[in-house]
């Protein structure tokens, strides 16, 4: 993984708790924990490592026993070299983050991007599913993607494109693939990120 600075800063601030359940599905990984007597659940995308398909090496070496760890110890898997373990660790981090429902707003990311980028330049890291609807609703839209399709730009164009943007949106996959720490420093100070 390229960098883990965010996770390294975040992990020591998290409370510990009891792991209630770990579910690794084809698309999503869920970790349920109990913190201060309250159940909480965190999600992360399930990232697979194709090299394990015909390997003797287990993608998750302690599968079946991870629930015996403390919740914060499980969250430390976000620093692993194994992409499957990073998914579990990230879901555990999401489960342990403090809940502040009074600050939550129920709004779709597409609407936030339109609100701030209607007349401006928008850079999206990752091909969000609503790209076709978004394109006519913002001034300029650049989509940076590791696996480009259609009008996407390659991820390598990020250092050139992101500093020009008024709005920068990143999928959570940037946390899982280790690119977040390098990307978050690219937007200009007045950009909505």
């Amino acid at each position: 993984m390229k960098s883990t600075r965010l996770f390294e800063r975040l992990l020591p601030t998290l409370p510990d708790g009891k792991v209630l359940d770990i579910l690794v599905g084809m698309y999503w990984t869920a970790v349920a924990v109990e913190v201060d007597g309250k159940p909480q659940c965190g999600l992360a995308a399930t990232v697979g490592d194709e090299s394990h398909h015909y390997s003797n090496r287990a993608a998750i070496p302690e599968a079946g026993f991870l629930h015996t760890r403390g919740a914060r110890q499980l969250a430390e898997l976000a620093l692993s070299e194994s992409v499957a373990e990073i998914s579990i660790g990230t879901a555990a981090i999401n489960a342990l983050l403090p809940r502040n429902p009074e600050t939550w707003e129920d709004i779709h990311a597409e609407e936030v991007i339109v609100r701030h980028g209607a007349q401006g330049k928008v850079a999206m890291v990752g091909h969000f599913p609503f790209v076709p609807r978004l394109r006519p609703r913002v001034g300029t839209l650049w989509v940076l993607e590791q696996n480009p399709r259609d009008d996407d730009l390659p991820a390598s164009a990020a250092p050139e494109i992101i500093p020009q943007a008024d709005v920068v949106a990143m999928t959570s996959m940037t946390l899982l693939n280790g690119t977040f720490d390098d990307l978050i420093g690219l937007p200009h100070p007045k950009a909505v990120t």
Side-chain angles (χ1 to χ4, degrees):
M1 297 284 90
K2 293 180 181 160
S3 65
T4 54
R5 294 184 305 269
L6 174 67
F7 289 149
E8 288 169 346
R9 289 191 318 268
L10 182 60
L11 285 167
T13 70
L14 296 174
D16 204 357
K18 178 182 177 185
V19 176
L20 301 175
D21 208 354
I22 303 163
L23 302 168
V24 180
M26 187 176 294
Y27 300 108
W28 294 102
T29 295
V31 171
V33 300
E34 184 178 296
V35 177
D36 297 328
K38 297 177 185 168
Q40 299 183 173
C41 183
L43 294 174
T46 298
V47 181
D49 182 351
E50 303 304 321
S51 68
H52 292 295
H53 189 67
Y54 295 107
S55 171
N56 291 331
R57 188 180 61 183
I60 305 171
E62 294 181 49
F65 299 97
L66 291 173
H67 67 285
T68 63
R69 294 181 175 199
R72 197 151 111 198
Q73 187 182 13
L74 190 66
E76 290 172 0
L77 289 177
L79 302 174
S80 174
E81 291 296 318
S82 159
V83 291
E85 288 182 338
I86 291 169
S87 293
I88 294 169
T90 303
I93 288 171
N94 286 332
L96 292 170
L97 288 171
R99 304 305 195 239
N100 298 308
E102 64 279 357
T103 64
W104 298 346
E105 185 179 349
D106 188 10
I107 186 169
H108 193 277
E110 179 179 0
E111 293 309 313
V112 173
I113 295 166
V114 169
R115 180 189 303 163
H116 296 285
Q119 304 301 318
K121 298 174 184 173
V122 176
M124 294 178 63
V125 179
H127 194 101
F128 288 75
F130 51 81
V131 165
R133 291 192 313 267
L134 187 61
R135 213 171 272 291
R137 298 178 69 196
V138 298
T140 300
L141 177 63
W142 297 297
V143 178
L144 300 153
E145 177 59 54
Q146 286 189 341
N147 300 303
R149 58 182 178 217
D150 304 325
D151 294 329
D152 295 352
L153 299 171
S156 60
E160 175 191 339
I161 297 297
I162 291 177
Q164 299 178 55
D166 302 305
V167 177
V168 179
M170 294 185 230
T171 66
S172 60
M173 189 59 68
T174 63
L175 294 169
L176 297 166
N177 68 19
T179 59
F180 176 84
D181 288 329
D182 294 327
L183 294 169
I184 197 64
L186 295 175
H188 67 74
K190 293 184 181 180
V192 174
T193 304

